Amino acid sequence: MNIMTEKIKVEEAVDISVVIPLYNEAESLAELYSRLVKTLSSVSNNYELIFIDDGSKDDSFCILERLHKDNPKVKIIQFRRNYGKAAAISTGFREAKGEVVITMDADLQDIPEEIPNLISKLNEGYDLITGWRLKRLDSFPKRFASRVFNTIASLLTGLPIHDLNCGLKAYRKTVVKELKIYGELHRFLPLLAHCEGFRIGEQELRHDLRKHGKSKYNSTRFLKGFFDLLTVLFLNKYLGSPLHFFGLFGIFFLFAGVGVNSYITYLRVSFGNIQGRYPLLFLGVLLMVVGIQFITTGLLGEMLADIHQENKEQPKIRCIRRNLNEKVLPARIKGDSPPN
């Protein structure tokens, strides 16, 4: 009897994947590539470079094609139009095969030579390391807006991160495969990972001036970022208990309205009239109505959350120990010291 055997092609494991979203960065790609190859070769020869061309209108894709022909480790993904950085990073995460995934911008402000420091910090037992541009070389308005935003984010989420918007980050494979990115939530990847129970760390990095092209930053980004922060906060912290969010505001407005109306009642009982304070009366009634609406919204949210709980996914497990000799830890780049 002839036994037919099928050869299964097993993809070679990749140590490091570098995901680089870009839009109109043709002038910096050649230098970025050469510096990345030199840096990564000192860490591991088993790496891949994933460039995501987010609908560039310059020669970025032509340059990337030449790099791809010269080096098979270079992978290119080209969008038909500009979809935004979140879509580019999400696509890069799906394509990445490395045990460690690095994200960075293509404008050379993120310094490729800092990647080994990120990996070294990651192997101290973290799941995600975000860069901290301690001496950031950007304009004052940009630095000031970023500092305000990072301070607000840390206070609201309890995650002490100084530089959420730093593009240079290092992730373990398990992190990038679980994070769901849409809209403009790429700014909050450390927060999203923190809400999923991953261990987040921070590494001080050098920062460089932009050498070519123009910054994609604009003044509306701060306002959009604040709204996105509220989205992350609500969906991850209050999705299972919406009454805790709406009820807080509801109780505040309701008690404020009761206080105002108690004062109006005191005037009516003591003086026989409210002394012409009709606007205050209307304000008290309005506050009570708004408070009741907030509480009612929270209760309706609790009903929906109860339905959501029936289909909720199972808790994510970091490690399992079934006996004294078994210990499951995240993979790390060979040659580095073990996690603490």
XYZ file of all heavy atoms in Angstrom, residues 174-212:
330
model
N 1.955 38.274 22.248
C 0.616 38.069 22.817
C -0.159 39.380 22.935
O -1.383 39.394 22.835
C 0.730 37.437 24.216
O 1.633 38.211 25.018
C 1.250 36.013 24.124
N 0.549 40.482 23.130
C -0.118 41.782 23.275
C -0.705 42.232 21.951
O -1.884 42.598 21.860
C 0.860 42.841 23.822
C 0.157 44.186 23.949
C 1.423 42.409 25.165
N 0.101 42.219 20.887
C -0.358 42.747 19.606
C -1.469 41.896 19.003
O -2.280 42.395 18.216
C 0.813 42.885 18.613
C 1.891 43.779 19.176
C 1.398 41.533 18.241
N -1.511 40.618 19.363
C -2.548 39.762 18.804
C -3.884 39.917 19.536
O -4.916 39.473 19.029
C -2.101 38.294 18.862
C -0.848 38.000 18.037
C -0.967 38.466 16.592
C 0.297 38.181 15.805
N 0.231 38.725 14.419
N -3.872 40.552 20.697
C -5.109 40.709 21.463
C -5.688 42.115 21.405
O -6.882 42.298 21.595
C -4.872 40.315 22.931
C -4.653 38.832 23.142
C -4.659 38.452 24.613
O -5.253 39.193 25.422
O -4.071 37.407 24.954
N -4.847 43.116 21.164
C -5.334 44.490 21.154
C -6.201 44.753 19.924
O -5.859 44.353 18.815
C -4.168 45.478 21.176
C -3.354 45.547 22.465
C -2.264 46.600 22.337
C -4.245 45.869 23.652
N -7.302 45.448 20.134
C -8.185 45.838 19.036
C -8.060 47.350 18.850
O -8.380 48.125 19.741
C -9.634 45.457 19.357
C -9.846 43.952 19.526
C -11.266 43.631 19.919
C -11.457 42.127 20.133
N -12.850 41.806 20.558
N -7.583 47.747 17.667
C -7.308 49.154 17.405
C -8.244 49.650 16.306
O -8.369 49.024 15.251
C -5.842 49.355 16.951
C -4.900 48.597 17.865
C -5.486 50.827 16.925
C -3.481 48.537 17.348
N -8.885 50.771 16.561
C -9.729 51.396 15.543
C -9.760 52.895 15.808
O -9.282 53.373 16.838
C -11.146 50.818 15.583
C -11.857 51.000 16.903
C -12.643 52.114 17.150
C -11.729 50.059 17.920
C -13.286 52.295 18.367
C -12.370 50.217 19.132
C -13.149 51.336 19.348
O -13.772 51.508 20.553
N -10.343 53.634 14.873
C -10.410 55.095 15.031
C -9.014 55.677 15.136
O -8.181 55.519 14.249
N -8.756 56.360 16.253
C -7.431 56.919 16.512
C -6.890 56.439 17.858
O -6.182 57.151 18.563
C -7.488 58.456 16.469
C -7.858 59.002 15.096
C -7.739 60.507 15.013
O -7.088 61.116 15.890
O -8.297 61.086 14.068
N -7.240 55.208 18.210
C -6.849 54.664 19.509
C -5.408 54.176 19.545
O -4.971 53.641 20.573
C -7.794 53.520 19.901
C -9.264 53.890 20.094
C -10.041 52.695 20.614
C -9.425 55.071 21.045
N -4.656 54.365 18.446
C -3.248 53.951 18.464
C -2.454 54.734 19.507
O -1.407 54.283 19.969
C -2.623 54.166 17.079
C -2.684 55.587 16.608
N -3.804 56.132 16.001
C -1.767 56.579 16.659
C -3.559 57.391 15.697
N -2.333 57.694 16.081
N -2.947 55.929 19.890
C -2.257 56.724 20.910
C -2.344 56.070 22.290
O -1.557 56.384 23.177
C -2.869 58.128 20.998
C -2.845 58.911 19.708
C -3.289 60.341 19.966
N -3.452 61.091 18.731
C -4.609 61.309 18.138
N -5.708 60.842 18.678
N -4.677 61.988 17.013
N -3.307 55.191 22.466
C -3.597 54.663 23.799
C -3.286 53.178 23.927
O -3.866 52.500 24.777
C -5.065 54.916 24.134
C -5.471 56.351 24.038
C -6.147 56.818 22.919
C -5.150 57.247 25.039
C -6.508 58.144 22.820
C -5.505 58.579 24.942
C -6.184 59.030 23.831
N -2.383 52.682 23.110
C -2.062 51.254 23.182
C -1.573 50.828 24.564
O -1.966 49.767 25.053
C -1.031 50.906 22.110
C -1.548 50.985 20.668
C -0.428 50.689 19.680
C -2.692 50.011 20.463
N -0.714 51.615 25.246
C -0.342 51.218 26.618
C -1.545 51.161 27.554
O -1.627 50.271 28.411
C 0.645 52.303 27.052
C 1.213 52.827 25.775
C 0.074 52.777 24.796
N -2.489 52.106 27.411
C -3.680 52.092 28.263
C -4.561 50.887 27.955
O -5.080 50.232 28.870
C -4.479 53.382 28.071
C -3.797 54.687 28.464
C -4.749 55.856 28.281
C -3.296 54.639 29.892
N -4.740 50.594 26.669
C -5.549 49.443 26.283
C -4.922 48.149 26.807
O -5.628 47.261 27.300
C -5.679 49.386 24.762
C -6.478 50.517 24.108
C -6.358 50.442 22.590
C -7.946 50.458 24.515
N -3.600 48.039 26.687
C -2.918 46.848 27.195
C -3.010 46.770 28.713
O -3.173 45.684 29.287
C -1.454 46.862 26.749
N -2.909 47.914 29.373
C -3.021 47.955 30.833
C -4.399 47.468 31.280
O -4.516 46.710 32.258
C -2.781 49.384 31.323
C -3.013 49.583 32.786
N -2.207 49.035 33.757
C -3.979 50.283 33.452
C -2.661 49.372 34.948
N -3.737 50.125 34.793
N -5.432 47.878 30.565
C -6.793 47.454 30.907
C -6.993 45.951 30.678
O -7.857 45.341 31.304
C -7.813 48.235 30.082
S -7.897 50.001 30.490
N -6.183 45.359 29.794
C -6.272 43.921 29.535
C -5.429 43.106 30.515
O -5.371 41.879 30.425
C -5.833 43.614 28.103
C -6.780 44.112 27.027
C -8.118 43.405 27.058
O -8.139 42.209 27.428
O -9.142 44.031 26.749
N -4.736 43.795 31.435
C -3.965 43.088 32.452
C -2.509 42.859 32.110
O -1.807 42.155 32.842
N -2.022 43.425 31.018
C -0.614 43.286 30.658
C 0.245 44.226 31.502
O -0.218 45.259 31.977
C -0.404 43.593 29.169
C -1.008 42.569 28.257
C -2.119 42.870 27.486
C -0.461 41.303 28.158
C -2.682 41.934 26.640
C -1.017 40.350 27.316
C -2.134 40.669 26.556
N 1.514 43.869 31.645
C 2.441 44.655 32.450
C 3.129 45.692 31.570
O 3.783 45.347 30.585
C 3.467 43.731 33.109
C 2.873 42.814 34.158
C 3.771 41.632 34.460
N 3.851 40.732 33.325
C 4.415 39.527 33.366
N 4.946 39.097 34.506
N 4.464 38.764 32.300
N 3.008 46.957 31.956
C 3.485 48.070 31.136
C 4.708 48.704 31.797
O 4.715 48.947 33.007
C 2.391 49.143 30.966
C 1.050 48.493 30.597
C 2.802 50.173 29.921
C 1.078 47.681 29.339
N 5.719 48.965 31.001
C 6.917 49.642 31.478
C 7.269 50.815 30.587
O 6.649 51.044 29.537
N 8.278 51.560 31.002
C 8.671 52.775 30.285
C 10.198 52.839 30.213
O 10.879 52.481 31.170
C 8.107 53.993 31.017
C 8.132 55.282 30.231
C 7.352 56.377 30.944
O 7.377 56.405 32.191
O 6.723 57.198 30.269
N 10.711 53.275 29.075
C 12.148 53.361 28.871
C 12.496 54.747 28.324
O 11.915 55.200 27.334
C 12.610 52.281 27.878
C 14.062 52.372 27.466
C 15.018 52.089 28.601
O 14.736 51.261 29.458
N 16.142 52.781 28.620
N 13.444 55.415 28.983
C 13.896 56.715 28.485
C 14.637 56.542 27.166
O 15.492 55.668 27.029
C 14.809 57.384 29.515
C 14.103 57.751 30.813
C 15.036 58.430 31.797
O 16.180 58.742 31.399
O 14.638 58.636 32.951
N 14.302 57.403 26.204
C 14.894 57.315 24.880
C 15.392 58.677 24.415
O 14.899 59.714 24.843
C 13.867 56.804 23.855
C 13.212 55.449 24.104
C 12.174 55.178 23.027
C 14.246 54.339 24.137
N 16.346 58.627 23.521
C 16.763 59.859 22.860
C 15.759 60.212 21.768
O 15.031 59.350 21.271
C 18.147 59.687 22.243
C 19.281 59.529 23.251
C 20.552 59.170 22.520
N 20.458 57.845 21.912
C 21.197 57.434 20.885
N 22.074 58.269 20.331
N 21.067 56.208 20.405
N 15.730 61.470 21.404
C 14.806 61.950 20.386
C 15.571 62.845 19.431
O 16.535 63.509 19.826
C 13.647 62.719 21.044
C 12.528 63.047 20.114
N 12.061 64.332 19.923
C 11.783 62.253 19.314
C 11.071 64.309 19.061
N 10.876 63.056 18.673
N 15.170 62.865 18.163
C 15.899 63.641 17.171
C 14.950 64.604 16.461
O 13.728 64.438 16.486
C 16.541 62.701 16.150
C 17.804 63.292 15.543
O 18.022 64.508 15.721
O 18.562 62.545 14.917
N 15.540 65.600 15.822
C 14.772 66.558 15.044
C 14.308 65.915 13.735
O 14.965 65.019 13.195
C 15.619 67.790 14.730
C 15.978 68.703 15.912
C 17.023 69.723 15.472
C 14.737 69.415 16.437
N 13.186 66.371 13.239
C 12.726 65.900 11.934
C 13.663 66.440 10.854
O 13.906 67.644 10.774
C 11.289 66.365 11.681
C 10.793 66.065 10.267
C 9.367 66.536 10.078
N 8.423 65.535 10.521
C 7.961 64.552 9.748
N 8.419 64.409 8.517
N 7.101 63.688 10.208
N 14.178 65.536 10.019
C 15.129 65.935 8.987
C 14.454 66.274 7.661
O 14.927 67.114 6.895
C 16.144 64.814 8.756
C 16.996 64.492 9.966
C 17.989 63.390 9.647
C 18.869 63.082 10.853
N 19.854 62.007 10.564
N 13.366 65.574 7.359
C 12.717 65.753 6.060
C 11.208 65.866 6.251
O 10.642 65.360 7.227
C 13.014 64.569 5.132
C 14.473 64.224 5.048
N 15.382 64.980 4.352
C 15.180 63.180 5.579
C 16.581 64.433 4.448
N 16.481 63.336 5.190
